[in-house]
């Protein structure tokens, strides 16, 4: 993306310079003049005109280069503005010495004579970077220096900047503070989603680097190996940018109002914020005191924000009145115009985005067919779900999580084609005609023995990881093209390269056309350090002595351990013994590593402990000792090259020494010692011959490269130029006026007076669900206080991203479930997101797990440490797990408490490094394990145990094995003793999540609230509950539990178990095993888990009961169900009689995870909840509503035929009860949909020998060709939006656009009930109303106007409530 910014800047600048040749070039594009009458043209169209003469010259180019046209404009611009790019010049006060002069001359000769590869082999401290600075200046060519890590890149950039002070030396490294790539572990079946955090300051440096490449030739870019990854879409990024000018709409940018600018900012993926909380890539809207609209934005490539004021010009036209940019001294700089670039790398025009989405859909269809044909149905479904979610977000917001995985389609590249990288931009800065491959730019690879293998391995590692993702349906095959360059693609872009290393590899030497350029003599005449080998027994004590000795001489020490943990422990050991120490390893962020090195250089610490970062290239002349622990541990970290590089850190100090702690001398150690001794003899001989003495250097500036470049970004002047003279300085003033106004985009739509009511939501912890009109989950979140959290979404001052605003536009209801604590809410939220993967959650947390404490009891030195999940493998017996915990911070708190009490890490480190006893450590570890993790819960003597139990409370509910397949039953009587009502609440816990919730209204016997009465009520409800079981819980979870936990004991346990087993045999004939029914245990291992689960169920039961009380207090008018609707419906559909039984069918998709059909039944105009059913599709793969309806209707009516045969044979003699009632003949079947869905339903019914009645005028009721056993049923379809009603035999609707008649209100209420009765998506069930004296089974979602577990928009009042006559004041 950074390169794209620079590409756009260069193109604009080229055009501007052509028009105004006298204007000085500046790095800041803020003050460029508008394009006059060309401003309304697209950038790409304008560029195509400007570059027309060059099209034929590059028509035969073999390699696609999207920047060729821009490059030609760039060169024309530079020609028109002499002095815009200065020649390279070395500004160092030192002259080359030692082996440096001959190295400079040899390198320049090799390069000028056309050698493609040259090798510079120089010992540590010989001044290789200084030689490169002189070589670059003499060649006067743009140069890319690639280093193998960020820390080294920062140092090299700092050194080159000190040598080439008048030229552009920029840093281009990965901007991730933390990065975990998306991956899939086949061995454990674990998917890990991409997780990362971006450092905005480093991102700004990347923007600076690419902008420099596009504006001048005297550029040196120091990059990490991440530069071979794609940088986005240059042309799309350029086209998406806009220019704003202080002009009206006729001669300016066309952005005449704040709304127009905001719309463009949204399209460029800027996020909207308020109250001055601006970050890069965001904007806010406000009004000043005079009423002018103000838009303040912060482009990602700018140091400070920009303020654009809108109003009416003197001519009467709307437009931009002023543009200001903030400065560090709290003043504002006035600008004439400004170019705004997108906030994200991957941005695509709407036209190309549409084409890309179609291409993605085509690839998805092909891949799904391929997976299905191979029998990989799970992978196929997984891929469909993910890609369809991504397509939804791409179409609605322009980007999605993991947009880069679709970069091939978004960029329009061919399969397998290489992405555009930093190397393409190097060609832009270089002379394209000068090199046969990539122009005349020069490549330098620092520490080539490490960097080149990294460049080679990155593609293969990325490919291997993504092939697993593609194989298992996590990504499309096109994701493989979001990749780094392959090795041959990388070298194809390079004309000439210099490979720099103190220990070049054999392959590096073979590449060079000539012998390597050697540098053995340092300019300071310092010799290689003296090396000592000492035993490991007393290595810690010996190291302490050495560090203290160096500290007295104001010298520093580097200590090298084998692991990150050892580095941390050694630093702690030294600090505990009075030594100023710190550690550095890959677990620290880029800036933290730089700060650690800075502390060593400045003398804030005396010893820095590392693992593998204290090697190549570090300029630390203050270090006089390198101590290598466990030097005889043969391996990569102790091979010859590693040892030579590490020892070399002491080669810049005249007192340099190296100590290798080892009990034996390995081959690598011996080779390292021999080579060091050879160099040392040669250096001593040179010093004696030339009569010179060794002298330590002072080193380069201790200021971190991040500090240096951060300061310089305030004033961006090249070669001493102060910038454009037409910048007007104004008096200091406030950047954002103090009277902010809320932009309309931050409001939830309130068409027709729709509002959300939140007063009834409890201020308790829980999980909430935003849903659309169809009941599909849009977003899942957690809250410590549900009411305030939900209100935060609806507040006029809410700060929402475009993604959340889009979600709220679609949202119709928000529902919730209470949890015992906010920790339970956190874990439940994660599991529900994993299960349902809502499209608007930031991260599809299908990999999200909550951490455990692991005790590695099988290790030689066992320890406690956090792990993200349990290890399920053959080695799992070596470990014990405790948890889960909602936060790593809670684990760290427990481990810190263990460490304070038992001092395990210190004792372990001492045992491993020879100064402690391993047996004593194991004894102490076992003591800690027993006291903290295995002591009885009643043992309150251990404070760490109490803390652990407190933090593990959430795991007792969600993470407990006891809740793997359990139903928890609670009963809540009405608080009024005179009221006989009670609520029975059933909570389904399956595999770490809540699979369903059911509430039943019951009447207690004679108003008694004794234990026996409550127990009998639970017994009755449970029998009815399991008799009404559907076809299982979606996601292959059984409706029937292994265990039922009841609040009160069931009196007739045997009868209840027999009834449940009988129901289970009918619904799940293959299900075996006993069903246990019990109350919470009072003792034993299940006590805490039982107690937690019952609290969970009881709290929600109280919430449902309270909802009923509120409803009763509000009151309900007399029911309006007088038969008017059914009579009108009979006339409308030409039915022979009023419909007694009406069934409605709906097809639901849980964000692509599964397709489920639901059936609702109304008897005499009232919902018959006990007859509701769900159907899991058996023959339909993917998303196909028509096939799904056909299958469901066929299965339903075949069940009816089977039921009728049973009745004919004397079974189910009691009509209207049991199975016969569930599958009896309906009077009317309603299909949710239009003519297509109606046709599909007719096909399914016909297959089951059920004949849909043709009610068109003159149509027969049934065909004469059917037998007497055939059944005739009326069927119709109700389409959404216009509410058109279709019947067989008519192409037009029968209701003539009248959606609010009593008949249509009834059908709409039934149709809406089918939407919300499908429990496929987890939805908390809602409080029911009592109808007659029946027990109301709530199975699914019921969207009501006022309730304690849901809120909806109102008016209009929910149709079902309206139809049933419940009116809320």
């Amino acid at each position: 993306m950074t390169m794209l910014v620079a590409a756009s800047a260069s193109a604009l600048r080229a055009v501007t310079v052509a028009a105004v040749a006298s204007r000085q070039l500046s790095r800041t594009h803020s003050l460029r003049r508008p394009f006059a009458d060309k401003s309304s043209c697209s950038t790409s169209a304008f560029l195509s005109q400007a570059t027309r003469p060059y099209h034929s010259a590059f028509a035969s180019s073999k390699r696609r280069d999207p920047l060729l046209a821009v490059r030609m404009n760039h060169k024309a611009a530079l020609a028109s503005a002499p002095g815009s790019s200065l020649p390279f010049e070395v500004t160092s006060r030192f002259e080359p010495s030692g082996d440096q002069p001959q190295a400079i001359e040899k390198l320049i000769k090799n390069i000028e004579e056309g050698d493609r590869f040259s090798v510079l082999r120089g010992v540590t401290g010989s001044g290789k970077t200084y030689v490169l600075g002189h070589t670059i200046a003499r060649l006067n060519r743009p140069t890319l220096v690639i280093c193998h890590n960020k820390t080294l890149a920062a140092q090299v950039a700092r050194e080159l900047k000190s040598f080439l002070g008048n030229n552009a030396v920029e840093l281009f490294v990965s901007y991730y503070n933390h990065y975990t790539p998306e991956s899939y572990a086949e061995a454990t079946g674990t998917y890990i989603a991409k997780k990362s955090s971006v450092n905005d300051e480093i991102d700004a440096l990347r923007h600076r680097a690419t902008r420099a490449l596009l504006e001048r030739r005297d550029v040196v870019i120091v990059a990490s190996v991440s530069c071979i990854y794609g940088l986005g879409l240059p042309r799309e990024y350029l086209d998406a940018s806009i220019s704003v000018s202080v002009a009206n709409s006729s001669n300016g940018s066309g952005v005449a109002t704040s709304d127009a600018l905001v719309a463009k900012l949204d399209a460029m993926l800027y996020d909207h914020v308020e109250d001055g909380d601006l970050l890069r890539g965001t904007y806010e809207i406000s009004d000043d005191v005079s009423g002018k609209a103000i838009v303040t934005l912060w482009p990602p490539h700018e140091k400070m924000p920009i303020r654009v004021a809108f109003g009416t010009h003197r001519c009467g036209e709307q437009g931009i009145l002023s543009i200001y940019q903030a400065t560090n001294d709290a003043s504002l700089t006035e600008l004439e115009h400004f170019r705004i670039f997108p906030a994200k790398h991957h941005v695509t025009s709407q036209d190309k985005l549409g084409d890309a989405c179609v291409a993605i859909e085509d690839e998805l269809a092909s891949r799904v067919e391929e997976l299905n044909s191979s029998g990989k149905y799970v992978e196929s479904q997984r891929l469909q779900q993910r890609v369809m979610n991504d397509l939804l977000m791409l179409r609605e917001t322009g980007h999605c999580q993991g947009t880069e995985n679709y970069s091939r389609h978004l960029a329009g590249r061919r399969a397998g084609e290489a992405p555009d990288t930093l190397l393409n931009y190097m060609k832009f800065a270089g002379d394209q005609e000068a090199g046969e491959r990539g122009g005349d730019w020069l490549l330098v690879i620092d520490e080539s023995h490490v960097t080149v293998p990294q460049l080679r391995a990155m593609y293969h590692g990325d490919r291997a990881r993504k092939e697993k993702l593609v194989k298992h349906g996590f990504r499309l095959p096109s994701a493989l093209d979001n990749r780094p360059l392959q090795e041959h693609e990388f070298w194809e872009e390079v004309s000439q390269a210099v490979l720099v290393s103190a220990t070049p590899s054999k392959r590096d030497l073979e590449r060079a056309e000539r012998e390597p350029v050697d540098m053995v003599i340092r300019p300071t005449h310092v010799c290689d350090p003296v090396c000592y080998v000492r035993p490991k027994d007393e290595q810690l004590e010996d190291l302490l002595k050495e560090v203290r000795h160096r500290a007295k001489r104001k010298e520093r020490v580097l200590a090298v351990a084998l692991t990150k943990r050892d580095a941390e422990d050694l630093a702690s050991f030294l600090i505990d013994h009075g030594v100023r120490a710190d550690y550095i390893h890959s677990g620290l962020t880029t800036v933290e590593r730089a700060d650690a090195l800075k502390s060593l250089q400045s003398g804030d610490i005396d010893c820095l402990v590392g693992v593998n970062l204290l090697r190549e290239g570090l300029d630390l002349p203050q270090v006089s000792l390198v101590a290598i622990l466990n030097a005889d541990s043969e391996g990569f970290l102790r091979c010859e090259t590693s040892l030579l590089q590490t020892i070399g850190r002491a080669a810049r100090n005249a007192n340099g020494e190296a100590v290798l702690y080892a009990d034996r001398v390995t081959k690598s150690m011996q080779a390292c010692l021999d080579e060091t001794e050879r160099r040392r003899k040669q250096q001593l001989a040179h010093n004696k011959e030339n009569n010179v003495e060794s002298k330590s250097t002072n080193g380069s500036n201790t200021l971190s490269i991040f500090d240096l470049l951060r300061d310089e970004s305030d004033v961006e002047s090249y070669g001493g130029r102060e910038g454009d003279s037409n910048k007007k300085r104004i008096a200091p003033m406030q950047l954002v006026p103090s009277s902010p106004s809320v932009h309309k985009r931050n409001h939830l739509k309130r068409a027709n007076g729709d509002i959300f009511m939140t007063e009834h939501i409890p201020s308790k912890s829980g999980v909430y669900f935003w849903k659309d009109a169809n009941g599909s989950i849009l977003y899942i979140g957690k809250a410590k206080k549900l009411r305030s959290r939900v209100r935060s979404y609806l507040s006029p001052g809410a700060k929402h991203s475009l993604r959340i605003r889009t979600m709220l536009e679609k949202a119709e209801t928000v529902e919730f479930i209470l949890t015992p604590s906010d920790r339970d809410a956190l874990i439940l939220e994660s599991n529900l997101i994993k299960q349902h993967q809502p499209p608007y959650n930031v991260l599809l947390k299908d990999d999200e797990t909550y951490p455990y404490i692991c005790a590695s009891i099988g290790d030689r030195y066992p320890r406690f440490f956090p792990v993200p999940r349990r290890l399920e493998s053959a080695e799992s017996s070596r470990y014990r797990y405790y948890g889960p915990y909602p936060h790593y911070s809670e684990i760290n708190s427990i481990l810190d408490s263990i460490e304070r009490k038992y001092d395990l890490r210190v004792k372990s480190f001492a045992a491993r490094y020879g100064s402690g006893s391993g047996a004593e450590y194991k004894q102490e570890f076992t003591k800690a394990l027993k006291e903290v993790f295995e002591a009885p819960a009643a043992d309150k003597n251990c404070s760490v145990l109490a803390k652990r139990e407190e933090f593990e409370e959430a795991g007792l509910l969600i993470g407990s094995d006891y809740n793997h397949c359990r139903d928890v039953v609670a009963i809540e009587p009405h608080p009024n003793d005179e009221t006989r009502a009670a609520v029975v609440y059933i909570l389904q816990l399956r595999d770490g999540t809540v699979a369903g919730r059911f509430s039943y209204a019951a009447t207690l016997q004679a108003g008694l609230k004794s234990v026996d009465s409550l127990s009998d009520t639970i017994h009755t409800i449970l029998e009815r509950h399991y008799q009404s079981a559907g076809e299982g819980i979606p996601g292959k979870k059984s409706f029937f539990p292994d265990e039922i936990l009841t609040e009160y004991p069931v009196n007739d346990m045997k009868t209840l178990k027999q009834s449940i087993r009988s129901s289970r045999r009918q619904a799940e004939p293959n299900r075996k095993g006993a069903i246990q029914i019990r109350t919470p245990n009072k003792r034993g291992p299940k006590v805490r888990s039982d107690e937690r689960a019952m609290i969970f169920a009881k709290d929600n039961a109280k919430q449902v009961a309270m909802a009923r009380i509120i409803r009763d207090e509000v009151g309900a008018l007399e029911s309006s169900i007088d038969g008017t609707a059914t009579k009108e419906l009979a006339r409308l559909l030409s039915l022979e009689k009023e419909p007694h039984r009406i069934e409605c069918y709906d097809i639901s998709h849980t964000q692509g995870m599964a397709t489920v059909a639901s059936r609702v039944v109304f008897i005499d105009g009232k919902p018959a909840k006990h007859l509701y059913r769900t159907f899991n599709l058996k023959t339909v793969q993917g998303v196909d509503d028509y096939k799904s309806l056909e299958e469901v209707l066929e299965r339903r009516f075949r069940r009816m035929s089977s039921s009728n045969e049973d009745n004919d044979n004397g079974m189910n003699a009691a009509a209207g009860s049991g199975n016969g009632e569930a599958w009896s003949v309906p009077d009317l079947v309603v299909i949710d949909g239009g003519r297509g869905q109606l046709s599909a339903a007719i096909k399914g019914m016909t297959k089951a020998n059920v004949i849909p009645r043709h009610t068109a005028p003159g149509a027969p009721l049934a065909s004469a060709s059917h037998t007497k056993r055939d059944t005739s049923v009326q069927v119709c379809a109700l389409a959404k939006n216009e509410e058109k009603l279709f019947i067989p035999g008519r192409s037009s609707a029968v209701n003539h656009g009248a959606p609010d008649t009593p008949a249509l209100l009834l059908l709409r209420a039934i149709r809406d009930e089918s939407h919300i009765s499908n429990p496929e998506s987890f939805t908390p069930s809602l409080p029911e109303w009592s109808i007659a004296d029946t027990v109301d089974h709530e199975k699914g979602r019921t969207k009501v106007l006022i309730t304690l577990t849901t809120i909806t928009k109102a008016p209009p009042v929910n149709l079902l409530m309206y139809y049933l006559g419940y009116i809320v004041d």
Side-chain angles (χ1 to χ4, degrees), residues 267-334:
M268 292 191 293
L269 310 182
Y270 281 76
D271 288 331
H272 177 249
V273 298
E274 288 194 357
D275 300 330
D277 293 336
L278 277 179
L279 298 171
R280 286 186 175 91
T282 64
Y283 71 92
E284 67 176 354
I285 307 114
S286 58
D287 294 333
D288 67 5
V289 292
S290 63
K292 292 186 294 185
I294 305 292
V295 178
T296 307
L297 63 138
W298 195 343
H301 51 281
E302 290 296 323
K303 177 66 178 177
M304 298 297 288
I306 305 295
R307 191 184 77 179
V308 183
F310 291 86
T312 304
H313 290 274
R314 293 181 179 178
C315 62
E317 293 190 22
Q318 292 291 317
I320 297 175
L321 299 181
S322 61
I323 303 174
Y324 293 102
Q325 183 167 24
T327 61
N328 279 352
D329 60 0
S331 64
L332 299 177
T333 300
E334 187 174 5

Side-chain angles (χ1 to χ4, degrees), residues 533-543 573 628-632 660-664 909-917:
V533 178
R534 296 176 184 172
K536 294 192 295 185
D537 289 345
E538 303 296 330
Q539 54 186 333
L540 296 183
E541 288 73 12
D542 185 74
L543 177 60
F573 174 84
I628 303 177
L629 280 68
N630 293 341
D632 55 356
L660 285 72
Y661 293 102
D663 292 332
R664 62 189 180 94
F909 181 76
R912 284 181 286 120
Y913 281 89
S915 62
S917 168

Side-chain angles (χ1 to χ4, degrees), residues 217-421:
R217 272 182 55 84
D218 60 323
V219 182
V220 178
I221 303 297
V222 183
S224 62
V225 290
S226 63
C227 69
I228 67 173
Y229 273 92
L231 283 179
L233 313 167
R235 189 166 300 282
E236 283 71 13
Y237 194 93
L238 183 63
D239 289 343
S241 65
I242 62 171
S243 176
V244 293
S245 305
V246 182
N248 57 41
S249 59
S250 62
N251 60 10
S253 62
V255 181
T257 65
S258 60
D259 284 351
L261 178 57
V262 165
K264 290 184 178 293
L265 291 175
D266 284 343
M268 292 191 293
L269 310 182
Y270 281 76
D271 288 331
H272 177 249
V273 298
E274 288 194 357
D275 300 330
D277 293 336
L278 277 179
L279 298 171
R280 286 186 175 91
T282 64
Y283 71 92
E284 67 176 354
I285 307 114
S286 58
D287 294 333
D288 67 5
V289 292
S290 63
K292 292 186 294 185
I294 305 292
V295 178
T296 307
L297 63 138
W298 195 343
H301 51 281
E302 290 296 323
K303 177 66 178 177
M304 298 297 288
I306 305 295
R307 191 184 77 179
V308 183
F310 291 86
T312 304
H313 290 274
R314 293 181 179 178
C315 62
E317 293 190 22
Q318 292 291 317
I320 297 175
L321 299 181
S322 61
I323 303 174
Y324 293 102
Q325 183 167 24
T327 61
N328 279 352
D329 60 0
S331 64
L332 299 177
T333 300
E334 187 174 5
L335 311 174
E336 291 181 5
H337 44 83
F338 187 81
R339 195 75 184 180
I340 304 173
F341 295 93
K344 300 285 191 304
H345 286 178
H346 294 273
V347 59
T348 307
S349 65
Q350 284 299 319
D351 292 341
K352 290 194 174 182
L353 180 61
D355 294 340
C357 289
V358 172
I360 294 169
E361 287 177 334
D362 291 343
E363 185 187 10
L364 173 63
S366 175
R367 179 60 176 164
V368 166
E369 182 179 355
E370 179 184 349
L371 291 171
N372 287 337
S373 63
S374 302
K376 297 182 177 180
Y377 301 112
V378 174
E379 289 82 354
S380 172
Q381 191 177 58
R382 177 188 294 144
L383 184 65
Q384 274 188 299
Q385 179 269 329
R386 161 157 286 186
V387 177
M388 294 306 293
N389 276 348
D390 290 345
L391 284 171
L392 173 68
M393 298 304 296
L394 281 172
R395 287 186 168 115
E396 292 186 353
T397 66
H399 68 104
C400 66
Q401 293 297 313
T403 306
E404 64 275 7
N405 290 289
Y406 305 105
S407 59
R408 191 186 88 192
H409 296 296
L410 293 169
R413 298 199 308 267
R414 297 184 299 272
E417 190 173 358
D420 296 316
T421 65

Side-chain angles (χ1 to χ4, degrees), residues 740-781:
S741 64
V742 180
H743 192 259
K744 65 181 182 180
R745 307 175 73 89
N746 209 34
H747 285 284
L748 190 62
K749 281 189 175 179
R750 306 182 190 279
N752 301 322
D754 287 0
I755 60 172
F756 276 93
M757 292 176 291
T758 60
E759 289 77 7
H760 59 284
I761 303 178
S763 293
K764 297 180 180 180
S765 60
V767 176
Y768 57 90
F769 310 78
W770 287 100
K771 299 181 180 180
D772 62 15
N774 294 325
S776 297
I777 298 176
L778 300 173
Y779 184 86
I780 297 177

Side-chain angles (χ1 to χ4, degrees), residues 574-613:
L574 294 172
I575 293 172
D576 290 343
H577 287 77
V579 173
R580 298 184 302 167
D582 200 353
Y583 64 87
I584 180 174
H585 56 58
S586 60
L588 302 181
T589 67
T590 306
V591 178
E592 287 172 337
R593 293 180 224 167
D595 289 344
L597 291 171
K598 178 182 174 182
S599 298
L600 185 74
Q601 292 172 308
S602 61
D604 293 338
I605 59 175
D606 297 317
C607 180
L608 184 62
V609 186
V611 182
N612 196 33
L613 295 178

Side-chain angles (χ1 to χ4, degrees), residues 869-1048:
R869 58 184 60 83
R870 291 173 181 261
L871 176 66
E872 303 295 342
S873 68
E875 295 186 352
S876 59
S877 60
R878 294 177 51 198
Y879 307 103
R880 293 181 187 173
Y881 298 94
Y882 305 93
Y885 299 86
H887 304 282
Y888 275 98
S889 61
E890 296 178 343
I891 290 183
N892 293 333
S893 176
I894 294 172
L895 296 182
D896 288 345
S897 298
I898 293 174
E899 184 60 31
R900 285 193 297 270
K901 183 172 183 178
Y902 301 97
D903 209 20
L904 292 179
R905 286 192 66 168
V906 173
K907 293 176 181 177
S908 170
F909 181 76
R912 284 181 286 120
Y913 281 89
S915 62
S917 168
E920 292 179 0
Y921 168 74
K922 280 192 173 183
Q923 183 178 357
E924 193 68 14
F925 175 85
T926 302
K927 178 183 177 182
L929 180 68
K930 290 181 178 180
E931 291 183 356
V932 177
F933 294 98
E934 298 180 355
D939 184 1
K940 303 301 181 183
N941 295 325
C942 181
S943 60
V944 186
L945 173 61
K947 178 182 290 188
R948 180 182 71 81
E949 290 182 343
E950 176 190 353
F951 291 156
E952 285 182 4
E953 281 182 344
L956 297 174
L957 177 64
I958 305 301
S960 173
D961 293 335
Y962 302 133
N963 292 326
H964 170 70
C965 186
R966 171 193 273 184
D967 284 359
V968 186
V969 184
I971 184 169
E972 183 65 21
H974 195 287
N976 187 345
D977 292 335
E978 298 179 358
T979 303
R980 299 170 58 191
V983 170
V984 177
Y985 189 85
I986 303 175
L987 186 70
Q988 289 181 329
L989 300 178
R990 303 288 188 273
D991 298 329
T993 190
V994 178
R997 297 197 306 156
F998 303 86
S999 62
Y1000 296 85
T1003 302
L1004 300 177
Q1005 297 176 1
L1008 295 176
K1009 296 183 180 180
S1010 63
V1011 172
D1012 286 342
S1013 177
L1014 297 174
S1015 299
D1016 289 341
T1017 302
I1018 290 176
H1019 185 134
T1020 303
I1021 295 299
L1022 288 179
E1023 279 191 332
R1024 188 65 177 271
H1025 171 72
Y1026 293 109
Q1027 286 173 1
S1028 63
E1031 297 186 1
I1033 304 171
K1036 298 182 179 180
K1037 295 180 176 66
S1038 172
F1039 186 87
F1040 294 88
D1042 295 334
E1043 181 180 74
I1044 302 173
L1045 189 69
T1046 63
E1047 184 179 4
Y1048 295 97

Side-chain angles (χ1 to χ4, degrees), residues 432-583:
Q432 178 69 16
E433 301 175 359
E436 63 178 18
R437 288 181 173 82
D440 71 338
W441 64 279
L442 180 66
L443 171 68
V444 175
I445 298 186
D446 197 25
E447 306 299 345
S448 60
H449 66 284
V450 177
T451 308
V452 171
Q454 278 193 16
L455 293 170
R456 181 169 61 251
M458 286 178 71
Y459 169 79
H460 297 289
D462 182 86
R463 180 85 180 187
R465 176 175 56 83
K466 287 179 179 170
E467 281 178 343
K468 294 179 182 178
L469 294 171
V470 172
K471 175 182 176 182
H472 293 279
F474 291 98
R475 288 294 173 194
L476 289 170
S478 58
L480 296 172
D481 287 324
N482 171 46
R483 59 176 177 82
L485 295 175
Q486 298 185 55
E487 185 179 17
H488 70 88
E489 293 171 337
F490 174 81
W491 292 119
E492 284 173 1
E493 300 288 348
V494 177
S495 292
Q496 290 183 294
V498 177
L499 309 179
V500 182
S501 174
T503 55
S505 67
K506 181 179 179 181
R507 191 170 183 180
D508 291 345
L509 297 174
E510 291 173 349
R511 277 197 175 101
E513 285 86 346
R514 315 186 195 204
E515 289 296 316
V517 177
D518 278 318
M519 297 176 63
V520 177
I521 306 303
R522 299 179 176 88
T524 58
H525 308 293
V526 173
C527 301
D528 275 29
V530 180
C531 298
Y532 303 95
V533 178
R534 296 176 184 172
K536 294 192 295 185
D537 289 345
E538 303 296 330
Q539 54 186 333
L540 296 183
E541 288 73 12
D542 185 74
L543 177 60
L544 272 173
K545 181 182 68 175
E546 293 287 352
V547 172
R548 288 167 177 161
H549 177 63
R550 260 68 181 183
K552 291 178 181 179
R553 301 192 326 216
K554 298 187 181 302
E555 296 172 351
R556 321 282 188 268
V557 176
L558 294 182
V560 184
L562 277 174
T563 66
K564 291 190 287 187
R565 180 182 173 87
D566 285 347
E568 296 172 6
D569 290 345
L570 179 55
S572 298
F573 174 84
L574 294 172
I575 293 172
D576 290 343
H577 287 77
V579 173
R580 298 184 302 167
D582 200 353
Y583 64 87

